[in-house]
Amino acid sequence: MISPLLFILYINDIQQNIQRNCLLTSYADDTTLIVSDKNNLILEEKCNENLAHLLNWFCNNRLYLNLNKTKYIQFKTSQRKGKSNFDIKINNNIIINTPTHKFLGIIIDENLNWKSQCDHIINSLNSYCYLIKSLKRILNLKQIIIFYQAVIESKLRYGIYFWGSSKCMNDVLISQKRIIRSITGLDRFESCKESFKNLKILTVFGLYIFELCLYTYKNKQKFIMNSQYHTFDTRNRDNIHVDFTSLSLKQNTPDIIGPKFFNKLPNEIKNSKSIKIFKKRLKLYLTPLTIYSISDFK
């Protein structure tokens, strides 16, 4: 289909209407403006200025800006209480502040603690748990596993290298274990560890580590090795250098925590010649561990 390509070409120059060190991201007809500044007055001025430019571009290109769907979210640390008094408008229409927003299938919150995303995942898992009980009447175990991998695991993996750092991950694991018990027929108080191993299914924590290690492997060229910092023959010389940061939000970013997990892998896995081999070896390594928390891997 040529329609999506033509649409992309049509809106290709929208980036040229953004000023003052702001970032514009677009996916199909979903456009997001990212603005930052340490001074709230300058931040508000930047927002209104760029929104005015965008509105002008929309009018010139005969496109409609849906004000009812246009909102803004202010990212801040959990220590900052209360709301800042921003007056953000488009053509004298006030833009509403929202504490959470669904962006490309992931629910983002203003503190980036990912609780809303985890709650959304948990609700989905609980629905799937009931569905599996019904499917067991007509499908065999192999077919149930295929359903699990295609529907449930794919939902768990989507964007997990962002929201997997949430403190609510243990609640997600509880819902995942409920599904495993439904598949295997275990009692609610029986351990699921052996079932995870037998079914060759990674826990949600295992998936988090898997995706971050895969991200690091794919982007090894962007990281610096310890050997580039010093010439001493230490045992960590061939590990990826991990920058120190005191901000907890940054500590959980893929570029920080990904290399930490990657460095803990056996050399045989880290030195895999291709992504396919790396993924196969990594899953074989993580599955028997049955990781119930990040501390199990550290």
Side-chain angles (χ1 to χ4, degrees):
M1 294 179 65
I2 197 171
S3 298
L5 177 61
L6 291 175
F7 179 78
I8 292 172
L9 292 173
Y10 186 66
I11 67 169
N12 191 48
D13 65 335
I14 191 173
Q15 294 276 356
Q16 299 174 11
N17 290 266
I18 301 303
Q19 301 177 355
R20 303 188 67 176
N21 299 320
C22 299
L23 176 65
L24 191 76
T25 63
S26 297
Y27 185 84
D29 62 343
D30 192 342
T31 302
T32 304
L33 179 65
I34 303 173
V35 187
S36 63
D37 200 280
K38 294 181 179 180
N39 186 296
N40 283 347
L41 292 177
I42 297 176
L43 182 60
E44 179 183 303
E45 183 182 333
K46 280 184 179 181
C47 291
N48 286 317
E49 181 180 318
N50 282 284
L51 286 173
H53 285 299
L54 282 177
L55 181 62
N56 184 58
W57 182 90
F58 271 79
C59 294
N60 292 337
N61 288 273
R62 300 180 181 181
L63 293 173
Y64 173 68
L65 178 62
N66 192 333
L67 295 175
N68 293 325
K69 291 184 178 180
T70 303
K71 296 181 175 63
Y72 80 89
I73 180 170
Q74 180 195 359
F75 295 109
K76 56 188 177 182
T77 59
S78 56
Q79 288 77 19
R80 292 185 61 184
K81 306 295 183 181
K83 297 182 179 179
S84 299
N85 188 26
F86 285 112
D87 186 21
I88 299 177
K89 298 180 179 179
I90 298 180
N91 202 19
N92 292 323
N93 293 288
I94 297 176
I95 304 301
I96 300 174
N97 172 248
T98 178
T100 62
H101 182 69
K102 194 169 187 178
F103 181 67
L104 301 181
I106 298 178
I107 302 176
I108 304 174
D109 60 272
E110 60 186 4
N111 299 133
L112 293 180
N113 58 30
W114 305 106
K115 184 180 184 305
S116 298
Q117 171 66 13
C118 287
D119 289 343
H120 172 69
I121 294 291
I122 290 168
N123 289 335
S124 297
L125 293 182
N126 292 339
S127 299
Y128 291 138
C129 185
Y130 175 80
L131 179 58
I132 284 177
K133 291 179 180 178
S134 301
L135 290 176
K136 284 181 68 177
R137 302 169 187 166
I138 56 176
L139 300 179
N140 59 39
L141 180 60
K142 184 177 180 180
Q143 292 169 329
I144 292 287
I145 297 302
I146 292 174
F147 171 81
Y148 174 90
Q149 293 172 338
V151 179
I152 301 174
E153 186 171 296
S154 61
K155 190 172 188 67
L156 285 172
R157 293 177 67 165
Y158 183 67
I160 195 172
Y161 38 72
F162 295 119
W163 60 266
S165 61
S166 173
K167 294 180 179 179
C168 302
M169 277 278 281
N170 191 57
D171 296 329
V172 178
L173 176 63
I174 291 173
S175 293
Q176 187 189 22
K177 289 194 289 186
R178 190 177 294 122
I179 289 177
I180 298 301
R181 290 191 176 98
S182 295
I183 294 175
T184 57
L186 289 175
D187 185 80
R188 60 181 296 188
F189 296 111
E190 289 185 79
S191 173
C192 294
K193 285 203 169 188
E194 288 302 317
S195 295
F196 274 109
K197 294 178 185 178
N198 295 334
L199 298 175
K200 298 179 181 179
I201 291 176
L202 290 174
T203 67
V204 67
F205 286 101
L207 288 172
Y208 177 51
I209 294 168
F210 180 93
E211 291 295 328
L212 280 174
C213 288
L214 181 60
Y215 166 81
T216 306
Y217 180 86
K218 288 180 177 179
N219 297 277
K220 282 192 293 186
Q221 70 282 353
K222 70 182 288 187
F223 298 109
I224 299 174
M225 309 303 289
N226 283 333
S227 58
Q228 296 176 256
Y229 275 85
H230 61 76
T231 57
F232 300 106
D233 189 18
T234 62
R235 62 179 179 178
N236 296 322
R237 187 173 184 273
D238 295 325
N239 283 348
I240 296 174
H241 178 75
V242 180
D243 291 328
F244 172 79
T245 176
S246 58
L247 186 64
S248 59
L249 281 176
K250 191 172 181 180
Q251 287 174 357
N252 292 322
T253 58
D255 286 347
I256 297 293
I257 199 167
K260 285 184 178 180
F261 291 152
F262 187 84
N263 287 338
K264 296 181 182 298
L265 298 176
N267 289 331
E268 180 189 11
I269 300 176
K270 291 191 287 187
N271 298 328
S272 299
K273 299 299 183 182
S274 67
I275 291 178
K276 183 178 180 180
I277 296 174
F278 178 80
K279 290 169 69 174
K280 182 179 180 180
R281 290 176 175 175
L282 181 59
K283 186 170 182 181
L284 287 173
Y285 175 72
L286 292 176
T287 302
L289 298 179
T290 320
I291 301 169
Y292 273 13
S293 70
I294 295 301
S295 59
D296 290 348
F297 188 69
K298 289 181 177 180

